[in-house]
């Protein structure tokens, strides 16, 4: 269990992020077209998992915008923006913003992605949503970098994530 804060108040996650050097757990998430996507769908590409509570908050939206901008310059890299938002909300946001360099995926069905990655909030006002994290994987799904953002309203360290690629 990790402890982070939301506006200075402690909240806890269901576990800890996968360790650097470990194989990333497989997952099944839902795309904006309601298709199922798994980690194996991205095999052979470097993957940035940009994980956040909800695209309908300022910091979460900014992380999607920033990674969308950076992703346009990355070779053989997919940026997956993951939350428990409904796929319709994710699609609406990216469509309205003109964001087409990221892939929005939803864990709305059962939260199993958040559980297997140890990042679901287990208490506080955001209980059951995902904590703000960035996980970078190599082409073989090996974890190269993780960041559990310690204050939920803060943005992740984009530079560190991009350097890990």
């Amino acid at each position: 269990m990790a402890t982070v804060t939301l506006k200075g108040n402690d909240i806890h996650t269901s576990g800890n992020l996968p360790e650097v050097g470990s194989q990333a757990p497989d997952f099944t998430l839902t795309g904006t077209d309601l298709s199922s996507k798994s980690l194996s769908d991205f095999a052979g590409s470097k993957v940035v998992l940009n994980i956040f509570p909800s695209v309908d908050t300022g910091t979460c939206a900014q992380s999607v915008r920033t990674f969308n901008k950076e992703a346009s310059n990355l070779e053989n890299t997919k940026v997956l923006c993951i939350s428990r938002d409904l796929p319709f909300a994710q699609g609406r946001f990216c469509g309205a913003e003109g964001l087409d360099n990221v892939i929005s995926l939803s864990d709305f069905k059962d939260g199993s992605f958040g559980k297997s990655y140890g990042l679901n909030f287990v208490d506080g006002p955001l209980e059951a949503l995902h904590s703000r994290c960035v996980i970078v994987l190599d082409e073989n799904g090996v974890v190269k970098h993780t960041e559990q953002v310690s204050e939920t309203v803060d943005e992740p360290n984009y530079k560190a994530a991009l350097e890990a690629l």
Side-chain angles (χ1 to χ4, degrees), residues 87-146:
F88 312 113
Q90 293 173 331
R92 173 194 43 77
F93 173 79
C94 288
E97 296 271 334
L99 307 178
D100 55 9
N101 295 318
V102 295
I103 299 166
S104 293
L105 297 173
S106 177
D107 191 21
F108 81 100
K109 290 183 179 178
D110 62 5
S112 61
F113 169 83
K115 292 173 190 165
S116 66
Y117 277 73
L119 51 81
N120 283 347
F121 286 125
V122 296
D123 57 16
L126 301 179
E127 184 175 350
L129 296 180
H130 295 334
S131 61
R132 186 176 317 288
C133 305
V134 176
I135 301 171
V136 177
L137 311 175
D138 71 8
E139 298 91 333
N140 300 308
V142 174
V143 178
K144 293 299 184 186
H145 168 81
T146 65

Side-chain angles (χ1 to χ4, degrees), residues 18-161:
E19 293 197 22
V20 171
S22 69
Q23 188 69 38
D26 197 11
F27 57 75
T28 300
L29 295 166
T30 304
T32 57
D33 62 356
L34 303 180
S35 65
S36 292
K37 298 290 183 188
S38 66
L39 183 56
S40 61
D41 290 325
F42 305 100
S45 295
K46 297 174 188 174
V47 177
V48 176
L49 304 176
N50 176 36
I51 307 155
F52 47 86
S54 175
V55 75
D56 286 322
T57 65
T59 305
C60 300
Q62 187 56 47
S63 74
V64 176
R65 288 182 198 108
T66 300
F67 275 119
N68 181 74
K69 178 182 173 192
E70 296 298 332
S72 66
N73 300 318
L74 302 174
E75 188 173 316
N76 192 35
T77 302
K78 305 290 184 198
V79 178
L80 311 182
C81 294
I82 303 169
S83 69
R84 296 210 58 196
D85 289 303
L86 290 175
F88 312 113
Q90 293 173 331
R92 173 194 43 77
F93 173 79
C94 288
E97 296 271 334
L99 307 178
D100 55 9
N101 295 318
V102 295
I103 299 166
S104 293
L105 297 173
S106 177
D107 191 21
F108 81 100
K109 290 183 179 178
D110 62 5
S112 61
F113 169 83
K115 292 173 190 165
S116 66
Y117 277 73
L119 51 81
N120 283 347
F121 286 125
V122 296
D123 57 16
L126 301 179
E127 184 175 350
L129 296 180
H130 295 334
S131 61
R132 186 176 317 288
C133 305
V134 176
I135 301 171
V136 177
L137 311 175
D138 71 8
E139 298 91 333
N140 300 308
V142 174
V143 178
K144 293 299 184 186
H145 168 81
T146 65
E147 178 189 10
Q148 173 94 56
V149 178
S150 60
E151 170 53 59
T152 303
V153 299
D154 291 345
E155 292 182 58
N157 184 340
Y158 304 109
K159 183 179 177 185

